[in-house]
Amino acid sequence: MTSPLLEVENLRVSFPTHSGRVEVVKGLSFTLGRERLGIVGESGSGKSMTGRSILKLIRKPGEVTADTLRFDGIDILDQSEKQMRAVRGARISMVMQDPKFSLNPVMTVGEQIAEALVTHQKLGRREVQQRILDMLHAVRINDPERVAKLYPHEVSGGMGQRIMIAMMLIPEPELLIADEPTSALDVSVQAQVLDIIDDLVTRKGMGLILISHDLALVSRYCDRILVMNAGRVVEECAAGQLEQAQHPYTRGLLAAMPVIDETRDELPVLDRTQWAGT
Amino acid sequence: MAIDQQSAPPPLAPGFPSRRMQRVAVDLGSFIVTLCLTFLGLMAITFFIGRVIPIDPVLSVVGDRATQAQYDAAKIAMGLDQPLWQQFISYVGNVLTGDLGRSISTGRPVAEDLARFFPATFEMATLGIIIGVALGVPLGVTAAARQGSWLDQAIRVVGLLGYSVPAFWLGLVGLAIFYARLQWVGGPGRLDIFYDGLVEPVTGMILIDALIRGETDIFWNAVSHIILPASVLGFFSLAYIARMTRSFMLDQLSQEFVTTARVKGVPERIVIWRHAFNPIRVPLITVIGLSYAGLLEGSVMIETVFSWPGLGSYLTTALLNADMNAVLGATLVIGAVFIVINKVSDVLYRVLDPRAR
């Protein structure tokens, strides 16, 4: 059996506050192959922090510890900042939440995508140009020559997020973390963006961690789901078996989802006394 | 990675200037119109304030022992018996022909005075702001990049000193150490006494005039005189610029696109200078421009301590002597400086920020 792409065991992330250190991720464990893993949970459940600690992006005074945090045999926590830079972008990449804030406002789209590529590979100018245009084409941008010259404020949210995906996938990483990639977008373009991610991830045989608070969306695009609450995993199941989830938190979340044609007058509210929650 | 900024312009009939040229012409036209209107407003404000303040310009000309007849004659000669709006119109007309009136305290035309005093201030302020920017910006960026470190603390202390140390004290201490004791720099004044008046003024800035005439020893003598007052001025603008740069940088470093750059594996040096620093150039230009304009007003303290014949001391002397022509002239120059600096920053904004184009 080949070793998994990513192994996480007992991951803890903590930040100091006035009343001592607060753990936002409390002993998370999972393994990931070249598959699509969904992490769902409410705001503050620690899902984004999990994504960032895999890239070692938690900055001081935040602190990350783990019994194992291994990516393709590399111990992430052991890597120096310089060694990490060779991993970031090139081997593990992350699509951020809102293209309005996550793209540099004073660089053109083309320059930003080029930067992701040339940071890791020495390529000729013409080749870089060609790779950018191909990549923009791959994220279904029809006139890549024109778009490459635009600034982020000149593109729509959906296009911005496709540009983000192009930028993060152009060095051909093996693992993509998508941190709420569609929560800043209109519902009408959410599916489009996720289809693009899904298509590229499948085609290149990459691993995907899709972080979201949208259960339906995650169960549609992932093979396996982790449900997080208050820094812990409360449920792990295959995407198709979400309906059979056992944990009261997951059941509560599922019960709170409205269904078309239903006749409930009120959606139930989570009853947090049922489990050892916050 | 540069990607061509300009797409090919659409073809135009021969003989017509390109659309880009047309746009530039329109921009330039509106630029000149706003410039003229701002100047007119400036003249109106300085003129009316000059007339409403309770200083009697006639009295300062004829002295307090003059008879009523002499007083009235002087008043008519100065045109002060006419209605205010007529005085204003003739004032604007005079200013447009370069006539700012005669200064009572120096006895020379104000325009001639300003041509002597302003270059001295301009020279010192320019050198000061160069020192302030060249040191202040890197210090501010470094402090922000290493927030909380001892280096950050040290830079903040320097900034605090720049706010709290009085200018005249720093000037005097500087003279006592670097001139009187170490003799590294020249003393007060713009040149040593035996070089004085040897260079015929072209621009009025001795450094440049000496270079034009090829007088290298006068140039180095002028450098030794200007370096200390310019450094003192530079220190104050450094303190302000470093402080503002630090806070702008901290703001940018917490932005999502900086994290994006780190996710891409971009080296930290590039993260800081390309991703965090480039977007702050626009607000930084505002800060630097205002700081420079402040220096160009002339610092009375520094000019007094260093016997520097600049605009600040000229204006102060004129005010104390109720020399209204000189006051109005100097105020006009200062106002013009602010207008020019604002206009230059406006142009730079558009160059540096694609969102403002």
Side-chain angles (χ1 to χ4, degrees), chain B residues 235-317:
Chain B
F235 175 67
F236 290 112
S237 57
L238 172 161
Y240 179 56
I241 290 170
R243 203 170 242 243
M244 297 308 283
T245 307
R246 180 179 179 274
S247 89
F248 291 151
M249 280 298 283
L250 286 179
D251 193 39
Q252 291 301 309
L253 285 170
S254 65
Q255 297 284 320
E256 281 290 284
F257 62 81
V258 171
T259 309
T260 305
R262 291 196 178 115
V263 169
K264 289 196 279 188
V266 172
E268 193 63 16
R269 182 175 44 84
I270 296 181
V271 169
I272 285 170
W273 287 101
R274 186 189 290 163
H275 292 276
F277 181 72
N278 279 359
I280 72 161
R281 287 177 305 182
V282 167
L284 209 52
I285 280 172
T286 313
V287 165
I288 293 170
L290 285 177
S291 185
Y292 186 36
L295 295 188
L296 283 171
E297 275 179 42
S299 156
V300 185
M301 298 280 191
I302 298 291
E303 285 171 7
T304 309
V305 168
F306 289 94
S307 312
W308 201 263
L311 198 61
S313 48
Y314 180 70
L315 183 56
T316 313
T317 318

Side-chain angles (χ1 to χ4, degrees), chain A residues 187 191 225:
Chain A
V187 180
I225 296 177

Side-chain angles (χ1 to χ4, degrees), chain B residues 90-150:
Chain B
S90 64
Y91 171 71
V92 171
N94 287 341
V95 168
L96 289 181
T97 55
D99 177 12
L100 297 173
R102 196 168 277 276
S103 160
I104 302 160
S105 37
T106 64
R108 286 185 299 260
V110 171
E112 204 177 285
D113 276 348
L114 290 174
R116 282 158 48 99
F117 287 94
F118 185 65
T121 293
F122 184 76
E123 199 170 38
M124 188 159 81
T126 305
L127 210 58
I129 198 75
I130 288 172
I131 293 171
V133 172
L135 296 176
V137 171
L139 283 179
V141 170
T142 311
R146 305 186 183 191
Q147 190 193 4
S149 69
W150 65 268

Side-chain angles (χ1 to χ4, degrees), chain A residues 189-233:
Chain A
V189 291
Q190 283 187 354
Q192 194 188 11
V193 165
L194 282 166
D195 283 339
I196 291 171
I197 293 183
D198 189 45
D199 178 41
L200 293 172
V201 163
T202 316
R203 229 184 317 152
K204 298 192 174 165
M206 297 162 49
L208 171 71
I209 298 179
L210 178 60
I211 297 172
S212 177
H213 55 250
D214 188 337
L215 267 174
L217 193 136
V218 165
S219 61
R220 217 167 97 208
Y221 286 96
C222 295
D223 308 315
R224 214 145 51 84
I225 296 177
L226 293 183
V227 180
M228 278 185 80
N229 177 244
R232 288 192 180 84
V233 173

